[in-house]
Amino acid sequence: MRGKQRIVVLSGPSGSGKTTLVKRLIHEAPVRLVKSISATTRKPRPQEVDGDDYYFLDDAEFRKRLANNEFIEHAEVFSSGFLYGTLRTELERAWHAGGWAFLEIDVQGAMKVMQQYPQAVTIFLKTPSPDEFERRLRGRGTESEDIIQKRLATAAKELQFADRYQYSVVNDQLDDAVRQICAILKSEESAENA
Ligand code: 5GP
């Protein structure tokens, strides 16, 4: 069963360099990763494309899908005021393609996925230091001061969940982080096929 329902969960603070890392992993991982596209009620940022970065839903549509039991997990991501969730159909899409469903979700969602899919490979991405994290967050230049402060508080809160994940990876040098995660996936795949 496990072989058919492969899941990787990656969590880490927004601004930890996750987006770039995820893109690299999709191309470079030794296993086929199919990125789950989350649904969210937050508005698209410039450059973000509906159905590609996220499914951007309004509150009513999100809640309707929740009521229809279409999500495997959802959460109001800390301090954001917005709902985010993983649609069941995203897992199925990955599995039908013969790949691993790759979920980049927050710690609350990750805890729910771990309960339902104990076989999930779980990775927490850390930033090298709080200062470096703040620098990266500001460097992106897309968020207001209020949002930045909230994200810093969220990151501190999320860090408390790090030891609930199977693996922790520090995203200091991008190449190193990519290499470490590829090694994790390779060994998980080998263990599964043993
Ligand atoms: P952003 O708004 O910066 O794209 O994402 C904010 C946070 O939402 C990130 O920490 C990300 O991991 C989390 N997130 C994205 N999609 C999901 C999801 O489907 N479920 C949960 N629980 N969190 C998500």
Side-chain angles (χ1 to χ4, degrees), residues 34-158:
V34 179
K35 171 94 168 64
S36 158
I37 300 168
S38 297
T40 182
T41 59
R42 96 155 154 70
K43 297 279 171 279
R45 297 195 183 111
Q47 317 295 336
E48 283 185 329
V49 176
D50 185 39
D52 193 353
D53 296 289
Y54 281 103
Y55 299 112
F56 294 101
L57 307 180
D58 63 25
D59 215 61
E61 178 65 22
F62 195 106
R63 289 182 191 284
K64 195 175 106 195
R65 290 180 181 225
L66 254 186
N68 282 343
N69 195 26
E70 291 180 35
F71 289 101
I72 61 151
E73 64 77 29
H74 79 283
E76 182 185 322
V77 167
F78 294 136
S79 321
S80 73
F82 297 113
L83 295 167
Y84 293 77
T86 306
L87 293 159
R88 207 172 296 282
T89 47
E90 288 298 301
L91 298 189
E92 283 155 12
R93 185 168 65 82
W95 295 334
H96 284 151
W100 296 54
F102 183 24
L103 277 54
E104 191 259 278
I105 61 178
D106 89 326
V107 294
Q108 304 171 92
M111 298 303 122
K112 293 179 203 159
V113 172
M114 287 177 202
Q115 284 163 13
Q116 293 169 74
Y117 301 96
Q119 78 274 26
V121 175
T122 56
I123 304 169
F124 190 91
L125 196 63
K126 290 181 171 171
T127 50
S129 69
D131 284 355
E132 171 62 13
F133 173 57
E134 187 165 348
R135 195 185 65 74
R136 288 187 195 180
L137 201 53
R138 291 186 188 284
R140 193 161 69 177
T142 52
E143 253 72 61
S144 67
E145 182 61 27
D146 177 48
I147 298 279
I148 287 173
Q149 289 304 329
K150 283 181 175 164
R151 294 223 153 147
L152 288 172
T154 297
K157 214 192 276 186
E158 290 213 322

Side-chain angles (χ1 to χ4, degrees), residues 2 6-10 21-35 99-103 119-124 166-167 169 176-194:
R2 180 187 157 129
R6 292 164 304 191
I7 304 182
V8 193
V9 175
L10 179 75
L21 182 80
V22 165
K23 286 196 181 125
R24 288 269 310 261
L25 287 172
I26 302 279
H27 289 107
E28 297 173 34
V31 301
R32 176 150 189 216
L33 296 179
V34 179
K35 171 94 168 64
W100 296 54
F102 183 24
L103 277 54
Q119 78 274 26
V121 175
T122 56
I123 304 169
F124 190 91
Q166 287 167 300
Y167 301 98
V169 170
D176 283 349
V178 170
R179 215 173 296 129
Q180 281 180 57
I181 296 175
C182 286
I184 290 168
L185 295 174
K186 186 86 204 146
S187 76
E188 287 286 343
E189 192 198 31
S190 307
E192 184 180 289
N193 292 333

